[in-house]
Amino acid sequence: MKNTISLFDFSKKINYKNELLAGFTVAMTMIPESLSFAILAGLSPLTGLYAAGLMGLVTAILGGRPGMVSGGAGATIVVLIALIQSHGVEYLFATVALAGIIQILVGIFKLGKFVRLIPQPVMYGFLNGLAIIIFLAQIEQFKITGNNGEAGWLQGTPLYIMAGLTALTIAVVYFFPKLTKAIPASLAAIIVVFAVVLGFNIHTKTVADIAHISGNLPVFHIPQVPFSLETLRIIFPYALIMAGVGLIESLLTLSMVDEITNSKGNANKESVAQGIANMTNGFFGGMGGCAMVAQTLVNLNAGSRARLSGIIAAVMILSIILFGAPVIEKIPMAALVGVMMMVAISTFQWVSIRIVNKMPKSDIFVGITVALITVVLHNLALAVLVGVIISALVFAWDNAKRIRARKHTDVNGIKHYEIYGPLFFGSVTAFIEKFDPAEDPDEVVVDFKESRIVDMSAIDALDKISKRYKQNGKTLYLRHLSEDCRKMLKNAEAIIEVNIQEDPTYKVMPEK
């Protein structure tokens, strides 16, 4: 059942059955999550569904990674709750559109490649924290809102029914692939639990208990905000944070899918697609969003490897708003909770626990820190940023300790310092301590064949050493500088004083 489809930039083999079933499963798991986060932010339920449909459709068609699913994610809407409460929903739409423009610019200027700088321990921490968030969010579904508007835990028979149906869902998801892989296990679980509830007329929590989802398709709507610098001052900080959070989660998800499918996505293209999708949300009444890790994993586990499932999921969500609400609202929440719990379990990087005794202590600290920030603050951008900063500082410290100097004096009485390791802000103190201007001979050569000058701190260190030798009536020469180091010193010659010794036998690149 494999044919070739050509649409936009994807011409590849498509398994239509897998794509159709995966798309339907993704739609079923995306609806309650989008509804939950829209209600959490004080928005209309349809605002969340519009985001799921529009984000999913645009990114599925234009994105840089087949198999990824985007929608109204909680990570992006959480950062906008304060704005919604203080200025209203129209400012939300303007902010989402502006965030889209920022994301498009990131893609156009090819800044998406910087996701490569995110170390593996940060990825482990990000995914583990996200898995915990997904799992804890499902526990919240065991609450119900009373007549007084306060949420309380289910008790007695309703609790036992919810727990039993959730356990049944988990069992089906786990054991069904051992019987057949013709139908995605998640979809099979939803169908089985739905049939049990209807067949035995079991009263339990359904999608309708979260919100009613019937309505019309989104229409073009220009945000009703003053077009002024004051408005820009209000929305720009929120738009910048939303754009950053959305891109970090989307590009991390892209990297995750790359690993799972053993293929390569396009980070810059995905950035542009996310931006176009958020701009569309801003002008069509959606709350905006980004890539959704859980739904992406559901999609991949269901066998999807192309863009078609994402398109089907988005179109199905928009169709459900128009026609399918009465049926979808009857789906037991226990079925969706069980599916998402299994997604959380598969999202958690269990390998990070198995190899914890083999990892450097700094990497363990980074992974735990990122996971804790993700879980406690629900701020994925901050978690990843902190993880990258800690990893960078650890790397800088390790390299700072690596600089060393081999010393010898030649037959002409010239002392040579052969430097090993990079010279940068972290290593300049150890570098300076290796020299003895008072005791050294009149001529000293510093050989950088196995080193390089990295930053302004390194240039300043060379200037200080050169002046110390000059004060003692001696001369310091630099040898074997690479072209980029020479250029750096040339640019800084107005503020430093060093002698670069020409060496016609030295080549930066080896001879072929």
Side-chain angles (χ1 to χ4, degrees):
M1 196 169 176
K2 291 185 178 180
N3 304 291
T4 300
I5 183 171
S6 296
L7 181 59
F8 294 94
D9 64 335
F10 49 108
S11 177
K12 60 180 294 183
K13 294 292 183 181
I14 297 289
N15 188 315
Y16 286 107
K17 184 197 70 175
N18 283 356
E19 297 299 314
L20 179 63
L21 295 177
F24 184 74
T25 309
V26 167
M28 293 303 99
T29 59
M30 195 184 294
I31 287 172
E33 186 166 343
S34 298
L35 290 174
S36 298
F37 283 115
I39 294 169
L40 174 67
L43 300 171
S44 160
L46 285 178
T47 307
L49 292 182
Y50 289 160
L54 295 172
M55 288 294 302
L57 185 61
V58 174
T59 55
I61 295 173
L62 302 178
R65 171 74 270 178
M68 269 179 64
V69 176
S70 295
T76 51
I77 194 61
V78 165
V79 302
L80 302 179
I81 290 178
L83 174 68
I84 297 167
Q85 292 173 344
S86 61
H87 289 84
V89 70
E90 294 296 330
Y91 276 81
L92 163 71
F93 297 145
T95 303
V96 170
L98 180 58
I101 294 173
I102 295 171
Q103 290 175 330
I104 290 172
L105 292 175
V106 168
I108 290 175
F109 289 104
K110 301 187 183 304
L111 302 179
K113 61 187 177 183
F114 287 107
V115 74
R116 300 173 193 163
L117 297 178
I118 298 176
Q120 191 62 40
V122 176
M123 281 289 290
Y124 281 149
F126 163 76
L127 291 171
N128 291 346
L130 204 59
I132 295 171
I133 288 177
I134 294 170
F135 193 89
L136 293 178
Q138 307 319 306
I139 301 296
E140 288 294 311
Q141 296 300 332
F142 284 84
K143 291 181 178 180
I144 192 166
T145 305
N147 295 328
N148 57 359
E150 294 184 2
W153 293 101
L154 292 171
Q155 295 180 352
T157 303
L159 175 61
Y160 302 144
I161 291 174
M162 182 82 169
L165 292 174
T166 301
L168 174 61
T169 305
I170 292 173
V172 173
V173 172
Y174 182 78
F175 290 107
F176 192 79
K178 302 180 187 301
L179 300 176
T180 178
K181 294 184 179 179
I183 300 175
S186 300
L187 179 58
I190 293 171
I191 294 172
V192 168
V193 175
F194 197 4
V196 168
V197 169
L198 290 180
F200 291 94
N201 195 27
I202 298 173
H203 294 285
T204 186
K205 187 178 180 181
T206 64
V207 172
D209 292 319
I210 297 180
H212 294 286
I213 59 176
S214 60
N216 298 315
L217 291 177
V219 294
F220 182 76
H221 167 77
I222 297 176
Q224 299 300 302
V225 297
F227 193 74
S228 64
L229 288 176
E230 177 63 19
T231 300
L232 183 63
R233 185 189 66 79
I234 294 170
I235 68 174
F236 184 76
Y238 289 100
L240 192 63
I241 295 172
M242 179 188 171
V245 170
L247 282 182
I248 287 175
E249 185 161 357
S250 298
L251 297 181
L252 284 177
T253 304
L254 183 143
S255 297
M256 178 193 73
V257 179
D258 284 351
E259 291 183 13
I260 292 174
T261 61
N262 195 27
S263 57
K264 184 68 176 172
N266 188 321
N268 294 314
K269 188 175 180 181
E270 184 62 36
S271 300
V272 172
Q274 292 288 332
I276 294 173
N278 275 312
M279 278 191 66
T280 305
N281 267 269
F283 289 104
F284 282 88
M287 68 181 187
C290 62
M292 304 178 79
V293 178
Q295 280 68 26
T296 298
L297 287 169
V298 168
N299 192 40
L300 297 176
N301 292 339
S304 171
R305 290 296 182 271
R307 301 174 184 269
L308 192 57
S309 63
I311 297 173
I312 290 170
V315 171
M316 190 165 292
I317 289 172
L318 296 175
S319 301
I320 286 169
I321 295 173
L322 286 177
F323 311 112
V327 175
I328 301 302
E329 288 175 0
K330 292 180 181 179
I331 292 179
M333 282 304 301
L336 302 177
V337 166
V339 167
M340 297 306 289
M341 281 184 171
M342 289 301 289
V343 167
I345 291 170
S346 63
T347 301
F348 195 91
Q349 299 296 293
W350 301 101
V351 66
S352 64
I353 295 179
R354 291 198 297 271
I355 65 173
V356 69
N357 60 336
K358 301 182 178 72
M359 296 170 65
K361 289 183 174 60
S362 58
D363 286 350
I364 297 171
F365 176 73
V366 167
I368 293 174
T369 301
V370 172
L372 285 175
I373 294 175
T374 303
V375 172
V376 176
L377 301 180
H378 286 216
N379 192 329
L380 304 180
L382 177 63
V384 171
L385 181 62
V386 169
V388 170
I389 290 174
I390 294 174
S391 298
L393 290 174
V394 170
F395 175 81
W397 177 252
D398 286 343
N399 276 276
K401 296 186 296 183
R402 294 177 190 277
I403 195 162
R404 58 193 190 279
R406 182 181 296 168
K407 310 169 189 177
H408 71 274
T409 304
D410 64 18
V411 293
N412 298 318
I414 300 173
K415 189 169 183 178
H416 295 258
Y417 286 84
E418 297 177 3
I419 307 301
Y420 294 83
L423 181 57
F424 68 110
F425 68 90
S427 60
V428 292
T429 301
F431 172 77
I432 291 175
E433 290 173 351
K434 297 183 184 302
F435 294 88
D436 188 3
E439 300 298 327
D440 281 349
D442 291 341
E443 291 188 8
V444 174
V445 174
V446 183
D447 194 326
F448 281 92
K449 188 173 184 179
E450 301 296 334
S451 178
R452 67 186 302 273
I453 298 166
V454 176
D455 58 12
M456 191 62 203
S457 296
I459 294 174
D460 182 63
L462 292 175
D463 185 43
K464 289 177 181 177
I465 288 292
S466 179
K467 286 178 178 176
R468 288 182 187 178
Y469 278 98
K470 188 174 182 180
Q471 289 170 358
N472 285 275
K474 301 170 183 179
T475 306
L476 181 78
Y477 297 98
L478 306 182
R479 181 185 291 176
H480 287 165
L481 290 173
S482 62
E483 286 300 320
D484 56 336
C485 295
R486 286 171 179 264
K487 183 177 180 181
M488 191 179 295
L489 290 173
K490 179 70 175 176
N491 293 337
E493 64 182 2
I495 57 174
I496 68 168
E497 184 178 345
V498 294
N499 299 303
I500 300 176
Q501 192 174 66
E502 297 295 336
D503 187 349
T505 66
Y506 177 66
K507 299 288 191 299
V508 177
M509 297 295 291
E511 293 183 354
K512 296 182 179 178

